[in-house]
Amino acid sequence: MPCTTLLVGKNATYDGSTFAARNEDSGSAGFCAKKMTVVQPEDQPRHYKSVLSHVEIELPDNPMRYTCMPNAVSNEGIWGAAGVNTANVSMTATETLTTNERVIGADPFVVYRPAQNGTPEQAGGIGEEDLVTLTLPYIHSAREGVLRLGALLTQYGTYEMNGIAFQDVNEVWWLETIGGHHWIARRVPDDCYVIMPNQFGIDFFDLKDAFGAQKDFLCSADLREFITENHLDLTLNGDDFNARLAFGSHSDADHAYNTPRAWFAQRYFNPSENVWDGPDAEYRPDSDDITWCRVPEHKITVEDVKYVLSSHYQGTPYDPYSKHSDPLMKGAYRPIGINRNNFLSLVQIRPYLPEEIRSIEWVAYGSNAFNTFVPLYANIDHAPAYFATTSRVTSENFYWVNRIIAALADPHYEQCIQFIERYQMRTASKGYAEITAADKAYLAAPDSAKAVSSNEAANGKIEAMLKEETDELLDKVLSASSMGMKNAFSRADM
């Protein structure tokens, strides 16, 4: 799926947490409703069969409870998307990536083939539908997540290119698949952030570390031979190995769809670096060499993550909502906050709190330019009902009411954005207040046996607040949009 990922190391965040955030976006054909749920160990399958690829995998008998964001309608499988397990380890899967013909020719995708003309069915590999279900319930660290998924990719293969993030209280790792069976992973430096559009991202890759100490780099066991035998290393004069050059792409489509997102995000976090704008800029929206990770100019907050992952090129000639945008450039690049955002999740793992209340999952549904971000405790047995989407369109559900608000507000942006910005401020502020109060209450009387119920009670207060605030916003946006209808007429009845 088209998505955008933002990862932040613990020394680059405002409170020392690790951050792992991702927009899940639908393809251009439509929308995919998502729901938040909790999978208990007894509900985790022991024999797994993929709906799309028909691959069958036996799973261990010791799964942990975990949250996830599956599709509201399961006709194409689970698509767990993002979540946190009881060991305070998170996973977000996946960021659809690009590759090149040399890689696919050397290691073809493992594609499902139905039975026909007497030839038996051939199962495909694993993909985005499967990865959270196969991995998250069984891992106790981010590194362990990389190694488990890497082993699954080697054994079963994949039918698509994907990037997957793993996170614990100390580390954030990013894994990228290569062809049908290969992969690499790099640890996000503690003082850096990473922005990932739908393009193969890792540039510098230390093969010596990956085949030695494995401190910051991991990869397939035969990656060196794979690179050499297929002449994939494109660096000159013995330079450091550049994985993006070897395994990725730099197409014209990337320059309209992918690289502008990395350009905008790094421009936001490093504004004083005079490399982004003007005719002599070092990096432009269509640059292929924007670095994979960068040290920000200030510590990154939750609000920064929400702004960047909601962005539509504000302050540039490319903003589709600005009166001042160049008409020839407006809408030239694919926004990060696009109409077909399904959800945004940011997992914040806080090192200064007990494990029972350590992980917060910030959640938004629908188009990020028009929605809000609220925190929920992840150590729970039941997700709030307001976040449990069904296929029925209703304003009583957080996913669908966000879709309705965005569709109403988009053609009346100037009339509605003031209401949306105030709503975003109020809901996030009240969410912070509820979490802070619940944290303090738990620290005053810690009781691990009651942690889940107290976390669910705090989530319930946030849910009730959010429903009231969202209904009020819907009323205001509906009124403003109705007054701006094309069949309006200024003369009133006498």
Side-chain angles (χ1 to χ4, degrees):
M1 283 191 177
C3 310
T4 309
T5 299
L6 179 55
L7 312 172
V8 192
K10 62 185 179 181
N11 294 341
T13 65
Y14 76 102
D15 69 340
S17 297
T18 52
F19 283 1
R22 182 174 67 95
N23 294 341
E24 185 195 272
D25 308 334
S26 292
S28 59
F31 305 111
C32 181
K34 304 293 289 192
K35 62 182 180 181
M36 186 177 186
T37 191
V38 180
V39 181
Q40 299 291 345
E42 58 269 24
D43 297 323
Q44 174 71 3
R46 299 312 192 264
H47 177 82
Y48 178 83
K49 182 174 181 179
S50 171
V51 172
L52 296 184
S53 73
H54 294 205
V55 66
E56 298 189 49
I57 300 174
E58 299 300 322
L59 294 176
D61 287 327
N62 59 340
M64 287 178 277
R65 184 197 65 206
Y66 62 102
T67 66
C68 63
M69 289 282 196
N71 290 358
V73 179
S74 60
N75 59 311
E76 291 186 332
I78 298 173
W79 299 74
V84 190
N85 67 24
T86 52
N88 288 301
V89 177
S90 93
M91 176 181 181
T92 178
T94 71
E95 184 80 26
T96 304
L97 302 181
T98 57
T99 187
N100 61 63
E101 297 85 346
R102 300 182 309 280
V103 168
I104 301 305
D107 183 9
F109 290 136
V110 182
V111 179
Y112 167 70
R113 302 185 189 282
Q116 57 182 354
N117 300 326
T119 302
E121 174 185 82
Q122 177 182 310
I126 58 177
E128 184 170 355
E129 173 199 344
D130 320 299
L131 300 186
V132 169
T133 303
L134 298 178
T135 311
L136 184 57
Y138 311 103
I139 58 177
H140 296 83
S141 70
R143 179 184 292 265
E144 190 177 331
V146 171
L147 294 173
R148 173 168 173 79
L149 180 55
L152 290 168
L153 289 166
T154 299
Q155 181 176 357
Y156 296 100
T158 183
Y159 53 86
E160 59 189 2
M161 286 288 297
N162 280 316
I164 300 97
F166 296 97
Q167 167 199 20
D168 58 39
V169 70
N170 290 310
E171 296 186 334
V172 182
W173 281 81
W174 178 247
L175 181 151
E176 297 186 315
T177 65
I178 300 166
H181 300 84
H182 293 83
W183 57 274
I184 61 173
R186 183 176 172 183
R187 188 177 72 84
V188 177
D190 292 339
D191 60 349
C192 287
Y193 68 93
V194 169
I195 182 73
M196 279 297 309
N198 296 113
Q199 187 176 18
F200 195 97
I202 296 174
D203 43 22
F204 170 71
F205 191 82
D206 189 341
L207 287 165
K208 290 182 180 179
D209 181 68
F211 286 96
Q214 298 185 335
K215 180 176 180 292
D216 298 309
F217 300 84
L218 295 164
C219 67
S220 304
D222 65 340
L223 188 69
R224 272 180 167 157
E225 293 80 4
F226 179 68
I227 293 168
T228 300
E229 291 172 5
N230 296 285
H231 313 286
L232 295 174
D233 187 354
L234 302 184
T235 53
L236 296 172
N237 305 320
D239 294 337
D240 292 331
F241 177 65
N242 187 318
R244 191 186 300 169
L245 279 177
F247 308 127
S249 64
H250 51 274
S251 68
D252 293 338
D254 287 328
H255 300 155
Y257 199 81
N258 292 320
T259 56
R261 286 182 270 166
W263 171 84
F264 182 88
Q266 293 199 12
R267 180 179 180 268
Y268 174 84
F269 287 123
N270 295 83
S272 70
E273 294 185 24
N274 190 26
V275 295
W276 311 108
D277 299 293
D280 299 320
E282 181 178 351
Y283 299 113
R284 304 182 313 176
D286 59 354
S287 294
D288 289 308
D289 59 346
I290 298 173
T291 185
W292 180 73
C293 65
R294 189 181 289 269
V295 177
E297 292 181 13
H298 62 78
K299 291 194 173 183
I300 294 174
T301 66
V302 171
E303 296 73 49
D304 290 324
V305 173
K306 176 63 168 70
Y307 181 85
V308 167
L309 292 181
S310 303
S311 66
H312 41 86
Y313 303 108
Q314 299 94 309
T316 76
Y318 318 115
D319 183 356
Y321 294 112
S322 174
K323 287 183 176 179
H324 308 292
S325 296
D326 183 340
L328 296 177
M329 298 304 296
K330 182 183 290 192
Y333 300 131
R334 186 258 202 221
I336 300 175
I338 199 169
N339 64 321
R340 41 196 167 87
N341 296 135
N342 294 332
F343 77 90
L344 165 58
S345 167
L346 162 61
V347 174
Q348 178 183 10
I349 304 182
R350 306 176 297 172
Y352 47 86
L353 290 171
E355 291 186 0
E356 294 85 358
I357 58 172
R358 179 166 287 175
S359 293
I360 295 292
E361 188 164 7
W362 292 78
V363 178
Y365 282 149
S367 179
N368 289 339
F370 303 97
N371 64 20
T372 192
F373 217 16
V374 292
L376 298 170
Y377 283 107
N379 181 22
I380 53 176
D381 282 335
H382 304 93
Y386 195 41
F387 292 79
T389 312
T390 66
S391 59
R392 177 174 171 263
V393 178
T394 170
S395 63
E396 294 298 306
N397 177 272
F398 191 45
Y399 174 86
W400 288 115
V401 74
N402 275 284
R403 281 269 176 244
I404 294 167
I405 288 169
L408 290 170
D410 178 83
H412 307 284
Y413 185 83
E414 291 184 8
Q415 292 75 30
C416 295
I417 193 60
Q418 59 178 323
F419 304 128
I420 291 166
E421 288 175 345
R422 292 169 188 167
Y423 159 80
Q424 291 168 336
M425 174 69 77
R426 284 196 308 273
T427 51
S429 299
K430 291 179 178 180
Y432 268 121
E434 290 290 355
I435 292 293
T436 299
D439 285 348
K440 289 180 178 179
Y442 187 83
L443 292 173
D447 185 345
S448 59
K450 296 181 179 179
V452 169
S453 61
S454 62
N455 289 348
E456 290 183 349
N459 287 356
K461 291 180 180 179
I462 293 170
E463 176 188 31
M465 173 275 297
L466 182 62
K467 189 174 189 310
E468 181 179 347
E469 292 282 356
T470 306
D471 285 349
E472 182 179 335
L473 175 64
L474 175 59
D475 179 69
K476 291 177 178 178
V477 168
L478 178 60
S479 177
S481 301
S482 296
M483 295 305 293
M485 291 171 63
K486 294 187 184 301
N487 62 354
F489 199 77
S490 58
R491 179 176 174 175
D493 294 334
M494 300 300 290

